Amino acid sequence: MIINIHTSLGSRLKIARSNKGWSLDKTSQHTGVSKAMLGQIERGESSPTVVRLWNIANGFELPLSYFLTDLAQTVTTPSTLENNEDDIKIVTLFPYDENTKLEIFQITLDPQRQHISAPHNAGVVEHIIAVDGTMEYFLALTVGGIAEQWHTLKQGEGIKFNADQTHGYRNVTDKSVTIHNIISYTHV
């Protein structure tokens, strides 16, 4: 199922604001997204980038899949986030589950593309598994004076890291690369 982010996200954002009792100003303060952009998202006039959507989810202390799941959806079926970024496609395989505190995505990176993700809230852990092809990831950690090193992840390999730091994925091949991204939350 492909979700039209314009129609679903605006409704989800309004509900999240209502649940917190936040104005657009307060939402802007907590998310780092401008009041004007938040208003456009709510009216369905604009769709955020994946990075901006993460900022919104982090500000509300909600899982990313909260904003990617269609309000009318009652059966768990994979859903694709349509976004304006040409380099990344995200498919929700399993939306956030309150019992397990997990959500699972399939991410496809186009050839020669990279995606940098801003830090998520403390307690968010990402697991990435290279499903097909070889990809690279980095963590903006300084260990022994070395920062932002890219590391190779081959098909079938995986890595787990705290996602409260800048991190990224890149495809240095000439074919699309797919990864599974399992996100766990300790305090959602």
Side-chain angles (χ1 to χ4, degrees), residues 135-150:
M135 55 86 65
E136 294 183 341
Y137 70 94
F138 88 85
L139 305 175
L141 283 177
T142 301
V143 179
I146 300 171
E148 294 189 9
Q149 274 190 298
W150 287 92

Side-chain angles (χ1 to χ4, degrees), residues 44-64:
E45 297 170 357
S46 179
S47 63
T49 63
V50 173
V51 171
R52 190 167 285 143
L53 191 55
W54 260 115
N55 290 342
I56 293 170
N58 286 337
F60 281 103
E61 296 182 344
L62 289 169
L64 180 63

Side-chain angles (χ1 to χ4, degrees), residues 3-11 13 33 36-54 56 67-68 80-86:
I3 294 174
N4 182 334
I5 193 110
H6 289 93
T7 58
S8 183
L9 183 57
S11 298
L13 182 54
V33 177
M37 175 57 74
L38 291 166
Q40 290 173 356
I41 293 168
E42 282 195 3
R43 292 187 302 273
E45 297 170 357
S46 179
S47 63
T49 63
V50 173
V51 171
R52 190 167 285 143
L53 191 55
W54 260 115
I56 293 170
F67 292 102
L68 302 180
T80 301
L81 167 65
E82 290 183 339
N83 61 62
N84 294 328
E85 298 163 277
D86 294 330

Side-chain angles (χ1 to χ4, degrees), residues 78 89-94 103-109 125-133 135 137 153-161 169 177-183:
K89 179 175 82 171
I90 299 177
V91 176
T92 304
L93 297 177
F94 293 96
E103 59 187 350
I104 303 174
F105 301 100
Q106 179 173 292
I107 299 173
T108 303
L109 290 169
V125 176
E126 288 197 29
H127 307 71
I128 54 173
I129 302 164
V131 175
D132 61 7
M135 55 86 65
Y137 70 94
L153 206 58
K154 296 178 183 175
Q155 182 174 353
E157 294 179 338
I159 184 74
K160 171 177 106 171
F161 57 88
Y169 314 114
V177 171
T178 301
I179 64 174
H180 284 170
N181 182 244
I182 301 142
I183 301 175

Side-chain angles (χ1 to χ4, degrees), residues 112-130:
Q112 304 298 319
R113 298 299 181 113
Q114 75 178 24
H115 177 75
I116 305 300
S117 184
H120 306 319
N121 290 336
V124 176
V125 176
E126 288 197 29
H127 307 71
I128 54 173
I129 302 164

